[in-house]
Every structure is written in structure tokens, then in C-alpha cells.
Amino acid sequence: MSWRPQYRSSKFRNVYGKVANREHCFDGIPITKNVHDNHFCAVNARFLAIVTESSGGGSFLVIPLEQTGRIEPNYPKVCGHQGNVLDIKWNPFIDNIIASCSEDTSVRIWEIPEGGLKRNMTEALLQLHGHSRRVGLVEWHPTTNNILFSAGYDYKVLIWNLDMGEPVKMIDCHTDVVLCLSFNTDGSLLTTTCKDKRLRVIEPRSGRVLQEANCKNHRVNRVVFLGNMKRLLTTGVSRWNTRQIALWDQEDLSMPLIEEEIDGLSGLLFPFYDADTHMLYLAGKGDGNIRYYEISTEKPYLSYLMEFRSPAPQKGLGVMPKHGLDVSACEVFRFYKLVTLKGLIEPISMIVPRRSDSYQEDIYPMTPGTEPALTPDEWLGGINRDPVLMSLKEGYKKSSKMVFKAPIKEKKSVLVNGIDLLENVPPRTENELLRMFFRQQDEIRRLKEELAQKDIRIRQLQLELKNLRNSPKNL
């Protein structure tokens, strides 16, 4: 076959998956049973976060990576949401800042203390209200600090400037629920998949759709930008209900470059792309295996490498950022696999077998680091800049010195493109009515506290005025 010579010459042809020992797994975790098609897991170089099963609202665990083994049932949680948590993502530039979104229509920003949680956390650093329906996706901008994207069931994608704590742009080109968001390397382009069976490439600051594909034969579910190759890869379902992947030219979505059928199973296929090694990993929801391929700019584009097999089905997968990998073991990728039936989080390391113990320059090129390339104002002003690169040889243990400062918010209306997103949105279901009621109760409680503080201040000023009038100097 045409791919065999490339297959043989690849330095990644023998990459294998290594499951961590049981004592290095995270056990006893009540992983959420929610059927929403997300990973319910986020990981960085310091913490692992997992959405858990809970009653009376949504919650997730945050566990320091070194705290492996069995997790106590009463382990502290982040539990401020009033509805199920649907997605969580770590800030790529500040290790202890995490964003979450929920069925309660809010997006919240949390600051995790050094060493992890000691008690339940209910107060978010920042609450973001702008969606009128539940929020299914959050995604941080890859090169700009404090820019967050959220996609809701109101078919809108909001861009939040966290320096202000408000949405600054609204992308309103979708006609159904957004399923997936992915950025190119410098964050100047956004691609989305949607339940309306369309694949879009969008300029996020203007909201303009640059390219659009109507995927009737290949119903797209997930999409990922392939680094600087100017290619997109989508996973979806063919007209015969078989799982397949398709490769697209980002500047011409009229036809896919290639389509390849994977198998006849029904679970969603999650794609993961490593721009440093040009490797693509495909993991099916409910499967136990992970297939991996090498991608090139020339035909046949996709070269199958190998498959990691496991009998335990995965509900979702977290991915460790590059600067958190063990370069001494030639580890090029690491998954954190959610095994719901066992309440287990299982690290899986993808390793390139090398005999030498020295640093392998060819498999660890310069990679995006923990320093942002732009400020929110620069990016919103139209500037694009590639990520700030770091070497894993010298600086992979260096931590970011950035600190998140929450803005002081007084204004409660949310105006985007002249539309107040929080006003005049009638509830459609009983759950939405309850969420609106709870939000109003929180607002009433806040106003009462503010009023009580002002009453106390007024009494203090009255006493001071009385003392001034009665002082001997005024007699």
C-alpha cells in the first residue's frame, strides 16, 4: 500500500501506551453520569479536575497531581453552581485558575488555593451571566491572557474579557447548538461544529464566517485545527452510520481532502492533535482503545501507526499540557482516562521507545509555554501573535508568575451589539424558571446586604455629625 514506506520511516511508528500503576491512579471518585458529550475532566501541570455526581447543583473535584491513590468520599469540592457542570477548562497561563460552565446558564471563574482545597468552595472569583440557556462549552484563547469563549444552548458564542468581567463580542451565526470549538495556533481563527450539520471557519473578533461546509454525507461532531498546516480534521458519522474522519483545507471547505471510515461503533470519536509530533489520537466515547496516526502535508496525509487497547471503557479523557510531561521517559502525550464503572482516573502515557537517557531534541521541539503573547486589549484591537515558545529541556518545570485579578463589577446588565442578554428572556421550561428564581434570590440577598451596610454607614455619619455639633469648639 502507498503508506507503507512512510510508516516504516516514521520515528513514531513504535509509540506505545503505558498505563500507570494502580497506586499512581486516582481511585474512589464519583464521576458524573451526565450524558453530555464532553470530557468532564481537565488537567494541567499541578492539578486534576473532574466533574462529579452530586445532588442539589453541580460540583467538581480539584486534586493535586501528587495526591494519587484513593480519594476520601468527603473530599472538598468546588460546588457553587446551581445546575450540573457541563465543562471545565484550566487557564493555560495561570495554573490555579479554572473556568466552569453549567446548566444554570452561568460561567464561573475559580481560584484554587496552593496545595488544593481544604474545604468546599462555593464562592467563585467571578460569575459571568450572558447566556439565556445552559452553557455547554468553555474554551480559553490560546495566546491571549484572560480571553474566554463560551457556547450556550441559545446558539450563541460569547467572548469574555475577564479583565472587565463582561462579554465583549457575540458570535451569532449558528442555527443550532454548537458542539465543538477549536482555534488555530495564534488564535486568529475559530472553527466550530454545530448540530445543524455545518462546519464553519470564523474570524472571532468580527464574527464573520470565512468558510462553511454543509456536511450531509459526513455528519460532523468534533473538529480540531492541525497546527500551522492550514488543515482541519473532523470526526463524525457517514450516511451508513459508521464512524469516520475527514481532512479539510481550511481555505476551501467545498469538499474534504480525504474521508476515512474507522469502524461501525456508535460512540462519539474525540480527536486530539499534537502539533509538535504531528500525531493525531482518536479515542471513542465508550471504547477502551486509542488509535493514533501521523499527519503530513502530502498524500496520503494520514498514516496509521498503532492502537492502544484496554478493556475498560472511557467516558472522557483529560490531556496534560506539553510542559507537564516527563521528558526523561520520552513521554510525548499523556491522557487521564475516566473509567466511570470503577470510579477511577487512569493516567496513560504515550512513550517513544529510546535507549538513550539524554534529552531527545527531535521529539521535543520548542513548544507553546505558559506566558501569554498578547493582552486582551491587543487581541481585541486586531493584533495576532504566535504563542511564546519554551524549551522542555531547560524550562519545563518553570511556573508562571501571572496572577488573576477579578474586576469589581457593579453593572448587572450585559450589553453586546446593543442587545441586553439578560433582559426580556422568558423561561421556557420549569428548570429555567427555577434557575431564574434562584438568580433573583441571589440578587435580592446581595442588595439587602448592600442596603444594610449603607444603613450602618449612614448611622455612623449621623453620630459623627452629632459629635461635631456637640464638641466644645463649636460652642
Side-chain angles (χ1 to χ4, degrees), residues 1 14 99 131 135 204 230 250 350 359 391:
M1 292 176 70
N14 291 321
H131 289 281
V135 189
K230 295 194 173 181
Q250 75 178 41
M350 310 307 293
Y359 180 73
S391 167

Side-chain angles (χ1 to χ4, degrees), residues 161-398:
N161 181 353
L162 302 187
D163 285 351
M164 300 162 53
E166 294 174 2
V168 287
K169 301 284 180 183
M170 179 171 68
I171 300 171
D172 194 12
C173 60
H174 301 92
T175 59
D176 211 323
V177 177
V178 178
L179 300 174
C180 184
L181 304 171
S182 179
F183 292 96
N184 65 345
T185 305
D186 64 2
S188 60
L189 294 176
L190 171 71
T191 180
T192 64
T193 57
C194 182
K195 268 193 176 178
D196 63 10
K197 300 177 185 175
R198 291 179 184 271
L199 172 67
R200 295 174 175 88
V201 176
I202 301 165
E203 204 292 308
R205 283 165 291 210
S206 65
R208 191 162 54 95
V209 179
L210 305 178
Q211 291 287 329
E212 187 173 318
N214 192 354
C215 308
K216 289 182 178 177
N217 296 333
H218 168 74
R219 298 197 301 277
V220 292
N221 288 320
R222 291 292 181 271
V223 62
V224 63
F225 261 106
L226 301 182
N228 288 322
M229 287 187 180
K230 295 194 173 181
R231 299 275 193 271
L232 303 172
L233 186 125
T234 58
T235 66
V237 182
S238 71
R239 62 169 72 183
W240 296 283
N241 282 335
T242 57
R243 296 195 297 189
Q244 64 177 187
I245 55 176
L247 190 68
W248 308 77
D249 182 343
Q250 75 178 41
E251 295 174 352
D252 180 13
L253 299 184
S254 56
M255 284 288 288
L257 298 173
I258 57 166
E259 287 181 348
E260 186 170 316
E261 293 197 0
I262 302 299
D263 55 33
L265 300 178
S266 59
L268 182 72
L269 270 180
F270 292 115
F272 303 91
Y273 180 66
D274 181 1
D276 295 343
T277 60
H278 305 299
M279 285 178 68
L280 171 76
Y281 301 85
L282 293 179
K285 186 176 180 179
D287 300 359
N289 56 353
I290 301 171
R291 298 174 177 87
Y292 37 106
Y293 302 76
E294 194 169 14
I295 294 184
S296 62
T297 52
E298 299 173 356
K299 287 185 178 181
Y301 304 121
L302 268 171
S303 303
Y304 175 76
L305 293 173
M306 216 180 288
E307 184 175 356
F308 167 80
R309 293 179 179 272
S310 167
Q314 57 228 5
K315 183 179 182 68
L317 292 160
V319 173
M320 173 64 76
K322 253 324 180 22
H323 59 272
L325 299 179
D326 183 2
V327 296
S328 63
C330 295
E331 184 183 34
V332 291
F333 215 73
R334 190 192 304 163
F335 293 102
Y336 284 77
K337 173 178 171 178
L338 276 62
V339 185
T340 311
L341 298 175
K342 299 178 182 177
L344 185 70
I345 312 294
E346 200 174 55
I348 302 169
S349 299
M350 310 307 293
I351 293 172
V352 180
R354 294 280 172 97
R355 290 181 180 176
S356 172
D357 292 333
S358 61
Y359 180 73
Q360 306 292 315
E361 296 273 1
D362 59 327
I363 61 174
Y364 295 116
M366 296 286 281
T367 191
T370 56
E371 297 296 324
L374 294 165
T375 65
D377 290 339
E378 287 174 333
W379 183 76
L380 291 166
I383 299 173
N384 294 319
R385 205 171 286 155
D386 285 333
V388 178
L389 301 180
M390 67 187 290
S391 167
L392 298 186
K393 182 178 183 179
E394 302 296 335
Y396 77 99
K397 289 190 185 291
K398 186 174 71 175

Side-chain angles (χ1 to χ4, degrees), residues 128-140:
L128 308 173
H129 293 285
H131 289 281
S132 58
R133 303 282 175 265
R134 59 180 173 165
V135 189
L137 290 170
V138 285
E139 200 72 53
W140 295 91

Side-chain angles (χ1 to χ4, degrees), residues 77-102:
K77 296 181 176 69
V78 179
C79 49
H81 280 288
Q82 291 153 354
N84 290 327
V85 176
L86 298 181
D87 197 14
I88 47 176
K89 293 280 167 57
W90 289 104
N91 186 320
F93 309 115
I94 309 175
D95 278 346
N96 64 333
I97 298 294
I98 188 168
S100 64
C101 63
S102 165

